[in-house]
Amino acid sequence: MVKYIVKRVLFGVITAFVVASLTFFIMNLVPGGPFLAEKAVTPQAQAAMEAKYGLDKPLFVQYLTYMGDLLHGDMGMSLKKRGFTVNDIIRNKFPVSARLGGLAVLVAVFFGVPLGSVAAYHRGKIVDNIIIVFSTAGIAIPSFLSSTLLMYVLSVKLKLLPSLGLDDPVSYIMPVAALALYPTSYIARLMRSSMLDVIGQDYMRTARAKGVSTFKAIFKHALRNAILPVVTYLGPLLASLMTGSFIIEKIFTIPGLGHEFVSAIPSRDYPLIMGTTIFLACFIILMNVIVDIAYAFIDPRIKLK
Amino acid sequence: MDTKKNPLSMQLNVDDFVPATADEKESLVIMRESVGFWKDGFRRFRKNRIAMTAFVVVVVIIILAFIVPVFYPYAYEEQMKGSERLGPMEYSEKEIERMEAGESVFPHFLGTDQNGRDYTIRVLVGARVSMTVGIIASVLILIIGSVYGAVAGYFGGKTDMIMMRIVDVLYTIPDVLIIILLAQVLKFPLQNLSKVPGFGWITALGPNMVSMFLVFALLYWVGMARIVRGQIMVLKQNEYVTAAKALGATNGRIIKKHLITNCIGTLIVTTTLQIPSSIFTESFLSFLGLGVQAPMPSLGSLASNALNGLQTYPEKLFAPAFMIFVIILSFNLLGDGLRDAFDPKMKR
């Protein structure tokens, strides 16, 4: 067990390192620099700026310096938002994205799991068909469409909800709903098929034969086993929600980390691009590691290798 | 005929020696036609009503996206002065004059955009762009993923270990982050490359589209590689592989002729299901403004542009949105149907 965890964590660290190096070199492949866009900069001033941020040194030296600083947890200063360190920006913006993503995960699990189980329980009946139709449609709608359509109906037409920002709790409804639509549908489908597998198992027949009610058999005996694929899906789900929220943040003008990342790329704010990529990547990798380890705890049949 | 006779009697029943009638002959000769892999699969596929409907829808969309624009009276980048921002089925003043003069004017079914471009053709060409990206990206993924997976699965041992660790690392890399980054980065080198003779086709496709292919090719083959590797590991235990080896077949030939051909079902299904997910990512990138370049439309960029005028021109959003939805949905259902038909073991 310990060996497995160590191995898994080590692997995560390697991946994070690969991501960091990849991002660094890819980013520097782009011609042009962060200070070219500003017109009123003389060559001397530009050279001075580049010297200040160490951009005049050879690429490999820059890389070593950056990686060294990164090990100390220092991600440098933002080039465009003067006076802010990348760490500051992440500290301010990440909670917004995380709250949004976290709520969406909760919504997806709380709706997806029961919907899938109910569909499996009523297999072939009308309830099952309705759930199948909706979950199939749900995975065919990209989040930017669901959010714009929601916005059109709920704020433009009915004027029920505010369309922009995250100022009060009500304004969370639309972004979270838009973000959760895909994973809810996906989890419902996953849950339905794994529940159907489990319902066919011998121990379910035994439970029924002992006189356990169908409801209890499904939600107590079967659910525990059927939920395993959903647990594995949580890792990739978190990843997709953290990145899927880029669009949601753009549409609803939410000041989150995704927004920062997307706008940092065209402006060549190198440290901010590096910082946000590495931070999000590490977060996603960490979540995957935790899910993998949790999976092994939940299902003792899984042999850890 | 069961009249009790003396069991020792040699007397035979004459009826047994009558020549067979044509009917009887036929019933013996024509056994059931042998059902091969493809035939069996297609038979199962045809019975699946949902999948057949999805297939028809896909064909209709392909006709709409690839053939109809060729004959359409408007071009997607054609700007008509005076016909800006028309609603569905509306005509501009000039066009009404022309119609009164007796000319026939082709209607703008979905109106025009802020530059006076016919919106119907833009949605159709947008669908073409999205489908092209989806299909080419999936084929690239199919080629890279299946070759990589087959090599890893066939050789096994250390080769497999190293190759699969690389896959593991690529798998955990948050793809969207890298895709957004690469889409930005590759734009400039590709623009330069397109000026080099022999690479002119890049301009024809648009550097952004090529960079999108590269991005997909670089990152998304890992899922395919894993699936193929799993299949090959099972298939290589078969006797015919041993036989081929004994006959002196090279490794390349065994992989190509025996192993890949035997997991063709999985390959078809995975590729079909890859198409909608590539379209998904393409529309996502275009929506963020990192996709194909103007004036070339893509469904994602059309939806993104429509967002600003949501209050006044909601139909400009609904049209591309509906198109994306139908394309992704029908490809998903088609893929599911193909999986049920050709790959019963993968059935979930």
Side-chain angles (χ1 to χ4, degrees):
Chain A
M1 188 73 201
V2 176
K3 203 176 152 198
Y4 173 77
I5 295 176
V6 169
K7 201 174 155 188
R8 211 58 201 78
V9 171
L10 204 67
F11 207 70
V13 173
I14 293 173
T15 313
F17 171 76
V18 171
V19 172
S21 317
L22 211 61
T23 320
F24 187 88
F25 289 110
I26 290 176
M27 192 179 65
N28 279 292
L29 279 175
V30 192
F35 304 114
L36 286 182
E38 293 161 45
K39 282 176 196 145
V41 178
T42 59
Q44 290 89 343
Q46 193 187 326
M49 289 293 265
E50 284 184 353
K52 185 186 168 196
Y53 291 105
L55 295 176
D56 53 340
K57 298 200 183 78
L59 195 57
F60 197 68
V61 177
Q62 285 183 42
Y63 173 69
L64 289 184
T65 322
Y66 186 86
M67 289 312 235
D69 287 346
L70 188 64
L71 283 181
H72 297 108
D74 175 15
M75 303 212 229
M77 301 284 286
S78 167
L79 299 181
K80 293 283 155 145
K81 301 195 162 188
R82 304 275 155 75
F84 284 98
T85 64
V86 174
N87 294 29
D88 282 339
I89 294 176
I90 291 176
R91 204 173 298 127
N92 290 332
K93 306 283 177 158
F94 178 65
V96 181
S97 301
R99 216 174 301 140
L100 212 57
L103 276 172
V105 172
L106 287 182
V107 169
V109 172
F110 274 105
F111 283 94
V113 170
L115 277 177
S117 316
V118 168
Y121 176 55
H122 293 285
R123 183 187 189 175
K125 306 247 178 66
I126 185 117
V127 182
D128 183 26
N129 287 331
I130 292 173
I131 292 175
I132 289 178
V133 167
F134 274 95
S135 57
T136 313
I139 59 165
I141 304 178
S143 59
F144 66 87
L145 286 187
S146 51
S147 51
T148 44
L149 293 177
L150 273 177
M151 196 151 117
Y152 177 71
V153 175
L154 293 180
S155 16
V156 177
K157 279 281 146 184
L158 302 174
K159 303 207 187 321
L160 283 178
L161 296 171
S163 62
L164 304 172
L166 273 186
D167 302 325
D168 52 310
V170 191
S171 55
Y172 274 95
I173 295 177
M174 272 198 293
V176 169
L179 212 48
L181 177 70
Y182 182 91
T184 310
S185 314
Y186 194 87
I187 288 178
R189 281 163 63 99
L190 209 59
M191 196 62 207
R192 177 177 177 273
S193 59
S194 79
M195 192 56 121
L196 284 178
D197 275 354
V198 170
I199 285 176
Q201 299 283 328
D202 287 344
Y203 59 80
M204 286 302 288
R205 202 178 309 135
T206 312
R208 297 283 299 122
K210 281 195 307 181
V212 179
S213 72
T214 315
F215 182 84
K216 207 175 162 192
I218 293 260
F219 284 93
K220 195 163 172 225
H221 295 249
L223 190 66
R224 286 188 185 183
N225 289 294
I227 208 162
L228 289 171
V230 177
V231 175
T232 353
Y233 174 59
L234 284 180
L237 169 65
L238 272 162
S240 75
L241 284 184
M242 294 310 297
T243 44
S245 70
F246 288 9
I247 286 229
I248 304 288
E249 285 171 18
K250 188 188 167 195
I251 292 173
F252 294 101
T253 50
I254 294 164
L257 198 57
H259 201 77
E260 241 15 91
F261 174 72
V262 174
S263 58
I265 293 179
S267 65
R268 308 272 150 69
D269 195 341
Y270 291 148
L272 191 56
I273 301 175
M274 283 298 286
T276 40
T277 312
I278 293 170
F279 178 78
L280 282 177
C282 288
F283 180 77
I284 291 165
I285 293 164
L286 182 72
M287 284 299 149
N288 274 323
V289 171
I290 291 175
V291 165
D292 277 3
I293 294 170
Y295 193 60
F297 272 107
I298 297 169
D299 190 356
R301 286 171 304 180
I302 306 244
K303 280 250 176 69
L304 301 174
K305 34 166 189 165
Chain B
M1 285 295 106
D2 283 330
T3 41
K4 286 271 174 193
K5 278 186 232 145
N6 180 358
L8 295 175
S9 162
M10 291 290 287
Q11 192 186 358
L12 295 167
N13 187 1
V14 183
D15 288 351
D16 288 348
F17 295 89
V18 174
T21 61
D23 272 4
E24 278 172 330
K25 272 184 192 162
E26 214 163 282
S27 73
L28 281 174
V29 172
I30 300 177
M31 304 290 287
R32 203 197 298 165
E33 219 176 306
S34 71
V35 179
F37 171 76
W38 295 105
K39 204 161 180 192
D40 188 38
F42 279 119
R43 199 185 51 191
R44 250 178 296 178
F45 184 75
R46 266 199 299 274
K47 272 193 205 150
N48 189 338
R49 235 180 300 151
I50 297 175
M52 276 309 278
T53 318
F55 178 68
V56 172
V57 173
V58 166
V59 171
V60 169
I61 293 173
I62 288 177
I63 292 173
L64 278 178
F66 288 88
I67 299 177
V68 171
V70 180
F71 301 108
Y72 209 76
Y74 301 110
Y76 72 88
E77 77 279 37
E78 181 188 348
Q79 304 191 358
M80 283 163 280
K81 283 255 167 63
S83 328
E84 286 88 4
R85 295 199 175 82
L86 293 178
M89 296 307 284
E90 278 179 7
Y91 295 96
S92 68
E93 285 172 18
K94 269 187 200 169
E95 282 167 346
I96 291 172
E97 274 172 32
R98 276 169 54 203
M99 274 160 78
E100 280 165 355
E103 264 182 83
S104 68
V105 174
F106 199 79
H108 305 287
F109 293 108
L110 293 168
T112 54
D113 67 1
Q114 72 278 9
N115 295 323
R117 294 176 291 202
D118 185 75
Y119 207 65
T120 319
I121 187 72
R122 288 188 71 73
V123 171
L124 291 183
V125 172
R128 180 169 79 192
V129 170
S130 297
M131 300 246 285
T132 312
V133 173
I135 292 170
I136 296 189
S138 304
V139 170
L140 283 174
I141 291 165
L142 167 73
I143 295 169
I144 301 176
S146 58
V147 169
Y148 193 95
V151 169
Y154 180 72
F155 290 105
K158 279 226 174 71
T159 324
D160 179 41
M161 223 261 302
I162 295 167
M163 286 177 87
M164 287 333 271
R165 287 299 83 77
I166 295 172
V167 165
D168 285 346
V169 170
L170 280 176
Y171 205 75
T172 30
I173 286 178
D175 45 4
V176 177
L177 292 175
I178 302 291
I179 282 180
I180 292 176
L181 216 59
L182 274 177
Q184 275 289 320
V185 167
L186 288 172
K187 215 156 68 181
F188 298 97
L190 281 173
Q191 266 165 5
N192 294 335
L193 189 65
S194 65
K195 291 181 191 113
V196 178
F199 288 97
W201 51 271
I202 292 178
T203 333
L205 281 171
N208 271 28
M209 214 183 316
V210 178
S211 81
M212 220 179 287
F213 294 148
L214 281 175
V215 164
F216 280 116
L218 285 175
L219 281 177
Y220 275 127
W221 53 271
V222 287
M224 178 72 88
R226 278 186 168 178
I227 293 170
V228 173
R229 170 180 170 266
Q231 289 262 312
I232 299 284
M233 301 253 285
V234 179
L235 287 174
K236 74 171 179 185
Q237 312 289 341
N238 281 324
E239 284 84 359
Y240 58 76
V241 176
T242 323
K245 260 188 209 162
L247 287 169
T250 57
N251 288 331
R253 189 186 156 82
I254 293 177
I255 290 179
K256 211 164 63 192
K257 287 272 168 190
H258 298 286
L259 296 177
I260 295 269
T261 34
N262 267 301
C263 50
I264 197 90
T266 320
L267 293 182
I268 292 173
V269 171
T270 323
T271 310
T272 317
L273 288 172
Q274 183 63 52
I275 293 174
S277 87
S278 303
I279 292 177
F280 216 96
T281 314
E282 185 275 332
S283 57
F284 172 89
L285 284 177
S286 296
F287 191 84
L288 280 177
L290 302 169
V292 295
Q293 258 158 336
M296 180 111 70
S298 129
L299 294 175
S301 63
L302 287 175
S304 165
N305 293 338
L307 199 57
N308 299 324
L310 190 59
Q311 303 257 7
T312 27
Y313 309 104
E315 74 278 354
K316 298 277 184 298
L317 172 67
F318 296 154
F322 182 70
M323 206 68 180
I324 298 178
F325 173 69
V326 172
I327 292 178
I328 295 178
L329 183 67
S330 50
F331 270 108
N332 269 336
L333 292 175
L334 178 66
D336 283 349
L338 285 176
R339 181 173 57 204
D340 292 351
F342 286 102
D343 208 3
K345 267 176 277 171
M346 286 262 294
K347 202 169 173 179
R348 287 201 284 180

